[in-house]
């Protein structure tokens, strides 16, 4: 066994049941190269101290050395469709006015008046110019200073650079990213290999069909990690085991900033013997929340067809009808599997021809014990028709269930199950006498990868 | 007591994301259309009493042209920190003759 690859889905230590790569061998359509990637270098098995999630000191280190250095997703381009539209992006104690300044041009301004320091814009919206609500100092939307009332009293500012300070801005997939670090690596390098892996999924052409946000009482990493392994399916989402190959998932890491999990769907869990193909088909349609239909009524599988094939073909036909385009080139995997990428540090995006789900976990201001969880669903629309408007963000109250957000459909109840762990993990880590967590070598390798990448920034 | 104002303006005179200021019973009211529905609010921002006539409507929110406070046209509730006072809203409907019909308290 290679020293670097101690544990792998195809290695000696693996769960019974068909592997993802073997499922790809059964595809009747040419499998794109990105799905054939299978890379999981061994990263160690040491316990990880709970301090990384619960200590103020660790949060302060992230505040000082992580967030000021990483590219971070702020919003969708479609959220600020017209010149002058802006989104206020807040991270810990920093505030940025992400502004559309041209048809395809965006700028990020430090949201602080150069006169007395008040934030210039209180909330998302539109402006022809930025007028400070305190004394009226004004900048145009490109950040050039236009003046302040009683200019006679400010002649000492004439020699000063009064342009609004900016952060680096970049776009990919219809998302707008910012980086506070003037000397950061280019966004394209940071994202690699994400753009290549998403080449069949032009996210910039999709529209945001849903956007739901809620505060969760856990560190932002606890939240993110709830979506980085399928190991928890067995205990947390047992009702979906009839159609989820949880322990046969593949986990990959690509450089420091990207990782991926692929959980085969339309096959039963290796933990669950004696599931019939008909049960798999019925449950995936009714419970997954991601298939083309959420009812199994009227669906009868022809003799000799597997649930995986039947559901993929149903999705192919129905998705194709919705978007008015052929999906003949789509693999079964891309039509039904859970293929979820993480972009370091806190954004996660699904590939596939169903709605592309996006997760983001932000620290809740300067509190290390809570975070803001957001999910968006990016949808395709019929070719040749007008792009639908971007969905308004639905901010749930902290006491509301995700299943109270009808726009995310079947995902709501699943998130509620995940939610039942998130705050409880934070609480349990604080109570822990062991003071550390022990990760599965393979199935939780993406979590270790996240922490090792964080360390690269904290130790830089 | 409810005062109603019929025959305000023809409903077709106002298009989506547009505003029309009208005076009813001495009150300056702003009629708005967003996502195909009609709304009526006080034409005065609750932050600094600026007129909202040139405010921009997107996604059912009316933004004050002065400092950008956004009001939800459905409820009058403001977003952001500049004001916590909601904008007064009035029921408005399309009458049988095609004109907008407004109810004042």
């Amino acid at each position: 066994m290679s020293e670097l690859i101690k544990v792998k889905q195809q290695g000696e230590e693996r769960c019974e049941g068909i592997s993802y790569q073997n499922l790809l061998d059964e595809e009747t359509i040419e499998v794109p190269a990105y799905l054939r990637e299978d890379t999981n270098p061994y990263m160690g098995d040491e316990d990880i101290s709970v301090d990384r999630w619960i200590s103020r000191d660790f949060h302060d280190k992230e505040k000082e050395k992580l967030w000021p250095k990483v590219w971070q997703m702020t919003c969708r381009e479609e959220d600020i469709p017209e010149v002058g539209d802006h989104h206020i992006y807040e991270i810990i104690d920093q505030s940025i006015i992400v502004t559309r300044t041209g048809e395809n041009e965006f700028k990020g301004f430090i949201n602080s008046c150069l006169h007395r320091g008040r934030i210039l814009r209180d909330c998302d919206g539109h402006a022809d110019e930025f007028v400070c609500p305190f004394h009226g100092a004004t900048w145009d939307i490109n950040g050039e200073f236009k003046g302040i009332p009683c200019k006679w009293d400010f002649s000492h500012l004439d020699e000063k650079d009064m342009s609004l300070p900016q952060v680096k801005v970049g776009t990919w997939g219809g998302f707008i990213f910012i980086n506070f670090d003037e000397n950061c690596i280019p966004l394209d390098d940071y994202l690699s290999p994400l753009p290549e892996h998403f080449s069949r999924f032009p996210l910039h052409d999709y529209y945001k069909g849903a956007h739901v946000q809620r505060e969760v009482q856990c560190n932002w990493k606890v939240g993110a990690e709830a979506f980085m392994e399928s190991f928890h399916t067995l205990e947390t989402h047992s009702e979906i085991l009839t159609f989820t190959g949880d322990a046969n998932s593949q986990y990959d890491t690509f450089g420091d900033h990207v990782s991926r999990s692929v959980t085969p769907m339309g096959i039963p869990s290796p933990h669950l013997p004696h599931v019939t193909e008909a049960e798999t088909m019925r449950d995936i349609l009714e419970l997954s929340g991601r298939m083309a239909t959420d009812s199994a009524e009227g669906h009868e599988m022809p003799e000799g067809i597997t649930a995986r094939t039947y559901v993929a073909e149903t999705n192919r036909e129905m998705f194709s009808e919705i978007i008015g385009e052929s999906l003949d080139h789509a693999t079964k995997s891309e039509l039904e599997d859970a293929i979820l990428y993480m972009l370091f540090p806190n954004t996660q995006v699904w590939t596939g021809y169903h709605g592309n789900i996006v997760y983001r976990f932000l620290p809740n201001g300067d509190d290390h014990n809570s975070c803001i969880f957001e999910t968006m669903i990016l949808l395709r629309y019929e070719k040749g028709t007008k792009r639908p408007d971007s969905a308004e963000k639905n901010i749930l109250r902290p006491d509301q269930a995700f299943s109270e957000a009808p726009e995310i459909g079947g995902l709501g109840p699943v998130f509620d199950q995940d939610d039942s762990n998130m705050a409880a993990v934070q609480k349990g880590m604080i109570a822990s006498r062991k003071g550390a967590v022990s990760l599965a070598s393979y199935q939780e390798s993406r979590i270790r990868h996240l922490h090792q990448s964080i360390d690269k920034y904290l130790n830089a | 007591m409810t005062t109603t104002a019929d025959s305000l303006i023809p409903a077709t005179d106002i298009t989506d994301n547009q505003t029309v200021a009208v005076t009813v019973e001495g009150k300056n009211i702003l009629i708005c259309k967003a996502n195909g529905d009609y709304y009526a609010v006080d034409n005065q921002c609750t932050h600094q009493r600026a007129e909202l006539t040139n405010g921009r409507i997107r996604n059912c929110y009316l933004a004050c042209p002065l400092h950008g406070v956004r009001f939800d046209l459905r409820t009058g509730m403001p977003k952001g920190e500049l004001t916590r006072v909601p904008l007064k809203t009035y029921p408005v409907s399309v009458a049988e003759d095609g004109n907008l019909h407004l109810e004042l308290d």
Side-chain angles (χ1 to χ4, degrees), chain B residues 67-100:
Chain B
H67 295 112
V69 181
R70 289 192 307 147
F71 295 94
D72 187 334
L73 287 169
R74 292 159 293 198
T75 60
M77 291 305 290
K79 289 228 170 191
E81 300 298 320
L82 289 173
T83 174
R84 292 174 198 278
V85 181
L87 204 56
K88 188 157 179 46
T89 62
Y90 303 92
V92 65
S93 55
V94 183
E96 277 181 11
D97 61 2
N99 289 321
L100 290 176

Side-chain angles (χ1 to χ4, degrees), chain A residues 320-440:
Chain A
S320 166
E321 203 170 301
I322 292 166
I323 61 174
E325 279 177 70
S326 158
L327 286 177
D328 290 350
H329 62 286
T331 58
K332 282 185 259 188
S333 177
E334 293 165 303
L335 287 162
E336 74 189 296
D337 289 340
I339 310 176
L340 172 56
Y341 284 78
M342 193 198 77
L343 176 63
F344 183 79
N346 67 335
T347 300
Q348 304 185 27
V349 193
W350 294 55
T351 56
Y353 290 99
H354 40 76
N356 296 80
I357 310 165
V358 179
Y359 308 128
R360 178 172 67 173
F361 293 88
L362 283 168
N364 185 18
D366 207 6
D367 180 17
H368 61 287
N369 281 317
S370 64
C371 68
I372 305 289
F373 170 42
E374 283 167 89
T375 188
M376 307 175 196
I377 303 178
L378 306 182
L379 299 171
R380 292 157 187 76
Y381 55 96
E382 196 180 341
K383 210 174 179 182
T385 62
K386 184 180 170 289
R387 180 196 186 97
D389 286 338
S390 172
E392 197 185 324
K393 183 157 68 179
N394 175 8
I395 303 178
L396 298 173
R397 291 188 319 272
D399 63 321
Q400 274 185 294
F402 289 102
S403 46
E404 288 181 56
E407 63 268 49
I408 55 172
L411 293 177
V414 178
F415 289 168
D416 285 334
Q417 292 171 338
D418 291 314
D419 186 37
S420 74
N421 292 326
M422 293 192 275
V425 165
Q426 190 74 15
K427 206 171 166 185
M429 280 186 176
I430 292 169
S432 169
R433 185 163 294 184
K434 176 181 172 182
V437 302
S438 305
L439 297 177

Side-chain angles (χ1 to χ4, degrees), chain B residues 41-83:
Chain B
V41 294
D42 271 345
N43 189 10
Q44 189 179 78
C45 181
T46 61
H47 173 221
Q48 287 185 1
R49 302 168 69 87
E51 274 207 353
L52 296 166
T53 313
N54 294 320
R56 183 172 169 281
I57 298 173
R58 290 293 180 275
N59 285 327
C60 228
Y61 284 88
L62 169 67
C64 175
L66 193 56
H67 295 112
V69 181
R70 289 192 307 147
F71 295 94
D72 187 334
L73 287 169
R74 292 159 293 198
T75 60
M77 291 305 290
K79 289 228 170 191
E81 300 298 320
L82 289 173
T83 174

